[in-house]
Amino acid sequence: MSERIVEIVPEAGLHARPASKFVETAGEYDATVEIARADSDDLVPAGSMIAVTSIGARSGEKVRLVAEGDDAEAALDALEQVLSTPEDELEEA
Amino acid sequence: MSTNIEKDDIDDLIPESHIALDDPPNEKSACIEYLLDLLVDAGRVDDREAALDALLAREEETTTGVGMGIGIPHAQTDAVSRPSVAFTRSDEGVDFGSMDDEPAKLLFMILVPKEGAEDHLAILSSLSRALMHEEVRDDLYAAETPAAVQAALREAVA
């Protein structure tokens, strides 16, 4: 199991386009990825839009990503990249 | 309102007049206008056109169909002077282009003034958190009156 803490960079938080890009990216890997607020153990599926919306993470806040599976590290790298990219630099989802 | 909505917020956010249980139009933009008109008729919206433009611009960015049969069109706009939520339910479902391809049957609208970013995220995340629970969705499907919808929401956010 791999885990990391990532800060949310997009100004609107984990919301709208960054959130849909995040969910889509999570779905591209075989690994099971879950997300929670950094200060919480309440993990929810990273591949579910409603679950990601429920986190309500604002810009500057931190989230915990937990991945399990063969490509877990690659999945976390890609998801960290999405969360670290300002919204205006995010390529079309 | 802090980072979560609470029981006591429900009456102000979504009074009974913001809830319609007769079938809404099953085309997405018509359904969005239907929800908006619940808020317009309740006197919450100062500028219908501006609110609609903001809602449709948000849908252009990416759909508010969040999956599990739920759509939550929303916008931050000064067309409203305080946070307002509306609800309707579609038997047939509305194609919101959700990632899970499920038509949206439980439909919420959230309008929050432009400076209300905190309220906006609080309402959106509280509602999403509540709606992830199957029993909350079941209560909303089973509700026969606006009061029953309010009761389900009060219980869900508690």
Side-chain angles (χ1 to χ4, degrees):
Chain A
M1 194 182 73
S2 310
E3 179 170 335
R4 69 182 75 162
I5 304 283
V6 180
E7 183 177 326
I8 310 281
V9 169
E11 203 181 327
L14 186 48
H15 178 64
R17 216 153 56 87
S20 70
K21 180 79 180 167
F22 178 87
V23 170
E24 214 168 78
T25 302
E28 288 166 3
Y29 293 84
D30 293 330
T32 303
V33 188
E34 293 181 302
I35 179 172
R37 302 181 74 90
D39 56 4
S40 158
D41 291 323
D42 206 1
L43 288 161
V44 296
S48 158
M49 191 64 189
I50 189 167
V52 169
T53 304
S54 78
I55 303 264
R58 296 164 170 75
S59 184
E61 290 186 326
K62 291 184 172 139
V63 292
R64 175 200 314 274
L65 302 178
V66 179
E68 179 128 43
D70 287 344
D71 55 4
E73 282 299 326
L76 291 184
D77 287 345
L79 292 169
E80 179 171 0
Q81 179 69 36
V82 173
L83 297 184
S84 307
T85 305
E87 188 169 352
D88 54 9
E89 292 173 24
L90 204 62
E91 47 187 286
E92 280 304 314
Chain B
M1 203 177 300
S2 60
T3 53
N4 288 304
I5 57 175
E6 290 168 15
K7 271 185 190 182
D8 293 345
D9 298 322
I10 297 295
D11 273 325
D12 189 55
L13 277 178
I14 179 166
E16 290 189 30
S17 61
H18 296 187
I19 299 168
L21 297 175
D22 43 346
D23 238 10
N26 54 22
E27 188 274 318
K28 183 178 172 181
S29 63
C31 179
I32 287 174
E33 292 202 46
Y34 178 89
L35 279 162
L36 175 59
D37 283 332
L38 291 172
L39 298 176
V40 170
D41 293 345
R44 293 286 192 121
V45 180
D46 302 323
D47 185 339
R48 185 185 186 277
E49 283 312 300
L52 184 59
D53 286 350
L55 286 160
L56 296 179
R58 172 62 187 80
E59 295 301 324
E60 277 287 299
E61 198 182 324
T62 173
T63 180
T64 59
V66 292
M68 291 183 159
I70 295 155
I72 316 180
H74 58 265
Q76 276 180 257
T77 168
D78 285 332
V80 292
S81 49
R82 67 187 209 265
S84 302
V85 176
F87 172 76
T88 190
R89 190 172 63 196
S90 167
D91 293 338
E92 199 179 319
V94 181
D95 182 1
F96 257 68
S98 305
M99 271 187 228
D100 68 357
D101 293 327
E102 291 286 325
K105 296 185 170 179
L106 298 174
L107 298 139
F108 288 88
M109 173 168 288
I110 306 172
L111 290 178
V112 173
K114 269 218 170 92
E115 71 276 22
E118 293 288 307
D119 285 346
H120 185 240
L121 215 52
I123 297 168
L124 191 57
S125 64
S126 292
L127 261 185
S128 301
R129 202 154 45 236
L131 292 167
M132 284 172 68
H133 299 285
E134 190 176 6
E135 58 275 21
V136 173
R137 299 196 299 274
D138 285 346
D139 284 350
L140 290 170
Y141 283 123
E144 287 180 3
T145 61
V149 170
Q150 284 189 314
L153 291 174
R154 259 186 226 107
E155 194 172 338
V157 300

